[in-house]
Amino acid sequence: MTELLNATETGIAEAARLLREGALVAFPTETVYGLGGDARSDTAVARIFEAKGRPRFNPLIVHVAELDAARAVAIFDDRAERVASAFWPGPLTLVLPLRPSARLSPLVTADLPSVAVRVPAHPVAQALLHAFGGPLAAPSANPSGKVSPTRAGHVMAGLSGRIAAVVDGGTCAVGVESTILGLTDGAALLRPGGIPAEALEDCLGHRLETGGDNERPNAPGQLASHYAPSAPVRLDVAAPERGAFWIGFGPEAGGADLNLSPTGDLVEAAANLFHYLREADLRAKGPISVSPIPDRGLGRAINDRLRRAAAPRPVA
């Protein structure tokens, strides 16, 4: 049975105790809820893959409380130091060379010579990381390939009975996963997310390449079919379609069943995206159609998630 814990000192202490025993605990970050396990324990990390049904070749993000803890698991160059100082704590993951002394389970990195690491800003995530006192491997707390959770109820709907506990910290403010920046060979945007690529380019002083591999990921969130509801998803639908559930965007989509942002605010749209995909999946009697989203700022992250949600599903 999965326990629902309040985000109190007592609840966080209980969550940290469970994690130290090798159990799995879901917790809120500013992006989505993460499924945490001790990143140093092969058993705990294997349980993450088992609970999610996640492919073993797909690496995990290591969450730590502060920059010094990140330096203990990854090798930082001047670029990494500059970006981390500008955007941490926050919705940014850095893929960096793995420090040989990191003592992470090789399951975390999928045996790659690099590691994905971030410092979350959410106060509950920070409190839990400090109480636990070590690195947590934490992919999104949902069955692999399905819509990511932005509320504790979403986690319970997908993983109840598979994990020890969920810490209820309310609704996640950003609503899409962290931006992933690869700094192992050049500088590449591996996944758009909560930090706009333009902001990273301003910090680094140059344009970013686009990286990633759908077949052999070097960072999370790169599989071609991902974030998928059960119903088929159609993109760039500017008007209602017969028999479809329409998720709109902006004032011109006034007749939509749900509107990501009636005012056309991309921040609001990102925060609503995964919850609305879940709601549409519950209510749709046919396909889910989605309005065009501007491909700038957070719109790049929204469109990335929508393209993966609409991609052909792998054959079981």
Side-chain angles (χ1 to χ4, degrees):
M1 180 174 145
T2 299
E3 188 176 3
L4 188 63
L5 301 172
N6 292 322
T8 61
E9 185 175 347
T10 300
I12 288 168
E14 173 63 8
R17 182 190 69 79
L18 290 167
L19 289 165
R20 284 193 290 270
E21 292 180 353
L24 304 184
V25 175
F27 62 94
T29 76
E30 65 275 22
T31 57
V32 300
Y33 273 72
L35 179 57
D38 188 340
R40 302 160 297 190
S41 165
D42 290 339
T43 300
V45 177
R47 285 173 176 157
I48 292 175
F49 285 96
E50 180 181 33
K52 285 179 61 69
R54 184 183 178 98
R56 293 292 177 96
F57 59 80
N58 200 359
L60 305 177
I61 295 175
V62 176
H63 290 63
V64 294
E66 54 199 13
L67 179 53
D68 280 346
R71 293 189 186 110
V73 300
I75 298 171
F76 281 68
D77 61 14
D78 290 343
R79 301 169 304 163
E81 290 284 352
R82 183 161 71 251
V83 172
S85 296
F87 297 105
W88 278 355
L92 173 68
T93 294
L94 296 179
V95 175
L96 301 170
L98 176 67
R99 189 171 291 281
S101 59
R103 297 193 307 115
L104 298 178
S105 167
L107 293 172
V108 170
T109 61
D111 286 320
L112 294 170
S114 58
V115 61
V117 61
R118 91 170 178 108
V119 179
H122 197 291
V124 175
Q126 278 286 319
L128 181 59
L129 285 162
H130 279 101
F132 175 64
L136 289 177
S140 56
N142 57 287
S144 185
K146 298 300 183 181
V147 181
S148 298
T150 56
R151 305 179 182 192
H154 296 165
V155 182
M156 294 295 281
L159 296 179
S160 182
R162 301 190 200 179
I163 65 177
V166 180
V167 181
D168 187 353
T171 301
C172 300
V174 175
V176 292
E177 291 86 353
S178 60
T179 301
I180 302 183
L181 174 64
L183 293 175
T184 57
D185 182 17
L189 181 69
L190 302 181
R191 180 180 74 183
I195 298 291
E198 296 89 339
L200 294 172
E201 290 172 340
D202 287 345
C203 181
L204 290 168
H206 60 78
R207 295 292 300 273
L208 292 173
E209 302 171 3
T210 301
D213 187 335
N214 292 339
E215 300 297 326
R216 181 72 180 178
N218 59 353
Q222 295 178 346
L223 296 178
S225 178
H226 205 35
Y227 315 109
S230 298
V233 178
R234 298 171 179 167
L235 305 182
D236 298 322
V237 177
E241 293 181 303
R242 188 178 187 85
F245 188 100
W246 187 29
I247 300 177
F249 174 79
E252 61 276 7
D257 297 287
L258 292 169
N259 195 316
L260 290 168
S261 174
T263 63
D265 184 338
L266 290 171
V267 174
E268 181 183 20
N272 286 331
L273 176 63
F274 287 141
H275 182 61
Y276 282 13
L277 282 174
R278 288 172 174 271
E279 283 292 304
D281 210 23
L282 289 172
R283 294 163 54 183
K285 295 180 173 59
I288 299 168
S289 57
V290 186
S291 285
I293 307 294
D295 203 40
R296 64 174 187 275
L298 279 177
R300 293 177 68 178
I302 296 169
N303 283 321
D304 172 80
R305 305 311 190 270
L306 287 172
R307 283 191 294 270
R308 296 177 194 275
R313 314 294 165 80
V315 178

